[in-house]
Amino acid sequence: MFSHHVVEPDVSDHVFSSVLTKQHRRWLVGKQTIYQVLYALKAVAVCHVGIAVKLNLLDEIDGDPDAAGPDTAHPVVQREFGRRLLLGVSITATFALQMLMQPLHTSYLKNYSLPALRLQPRRAALVLGRLVLLCATPAVALREHVPQARIAQVAAIVSLQTVCMYVQETMPL
């Protein structure tokens, strides 16, 4: 019924490429271990994003925290703050881990070193923009406002972050 054409990237630069000379064996095994740990952390962060979005949508169902009275409002406010914190931190962690994992395919020096960024101002602007968006995500998520507005603002930031990530990954080094 459906056909998908998957184009695999060049595996010669991947972290799991089989360059196993004696000089590079330790470095490659260390690099692979780091990649696997970061990959596991990113998988957990992505799961937390899904949980956080669902919990933030529950804010509307819970209703106004002040409606029950001043004595019972405090636990509800704490719960809502925890939901917002989970949303901001999990999205930030997901994109921060992606920024750490992407250069493992090529090199940190080619992606994030100051001399390389000076030679490529467009890449430097993208990296700076992604860092600003990383800081903006928890700031927007922690603001107190209507849950739908918070989700919409975070979704806009995530969309910008995704576009920046795609442009950075397709940009030649």
Side-chain angles (χ1 to χ4, degrees):
M1 277 174 91
F2 300 101
S3 69
H4 298 282
H5 298 285
V6 177
V7 179
E8 293 292 327
D10 181 24
V11 295
S12 62
D13 289 337
H14 194 272
V15 68
F16 290 115
S17 63
S18 58
V19 180
L20 291 177
T21 63
K22 288 189 177 189
Q23 297 171 343
H24 299 304
R25 187 178 308 254
R26 277 194 203 145
W27 171 242
L28 184 63
V29 170
K31 204 173 172 184
Q32 290 171 349
T33 304
I34 290 169
Y35 188 83
Q36 287 293 347
V37 169
L38 292 176
Y39 192 82
L41 289 173
K42 186 177 173 186
V44 169
V46 168
C47 288
H48 281 126
V49 169
I51 293 167
V53 168
K54 290 174 187 170
L55 289 175
N56 274 275
L57 291 176
L58 284 177
D59 279 348
E60 182 182 2
I61 296 170
D62 286 346
D64 185 20
D66 294 329
D71 297 333
T72 59
H74 184 64
V76 174
V77 171
Q78 270 187 324
R79 187 172 60 231
E80 289 176 1
F81 177 77
R83 291 173 180 174
R84 294 191 312 262
L85 182 66
L86 179 63
L87 180 69
V89 169
S90 59
I91 290 173
T92 303
T94 301
F95 282 106
L97 286 168
Q98 190 281 331
M99 284 185 79
L100 288 174
M101 291 171 66
Q102 193 268 335
L104 286 173
H105 295 285
T106 54
S107 167
Y108 277 98
L109 296 176
K110 291 180 183 177
N111 282 284
Y112 298 134
S113 70
L114 288 178
L117 292 176
R118 284 187 189 131
L119 291 174
Q120 297 180 343
R122 186 172 163 208
R123 179 178 294 280
L126 281 170
V127 170
L128 181 63
R130 289 189 68 191
L131 291 174
V132 168
L133 289 171
L134 280 177
C135 296
T137 305
V140 167
L142 289 176
R143 286 187 29 211
E144 291 187 27
H145 50 279
V146 183
Q148 292 86 358
R150 179 174 46 250
I151 296 293
Q153 291 170 354
V154 170
I157 291 174
V158 167
S159 298
L160 286 172
Q161 184 76 268
T162 304
V163 168
C164 289
M165 178 180 66
Y166 175 76
V167 170
Q168 182 181 352
E169 285 181 354
T170 57
M171 185 181 297
L173 293 175

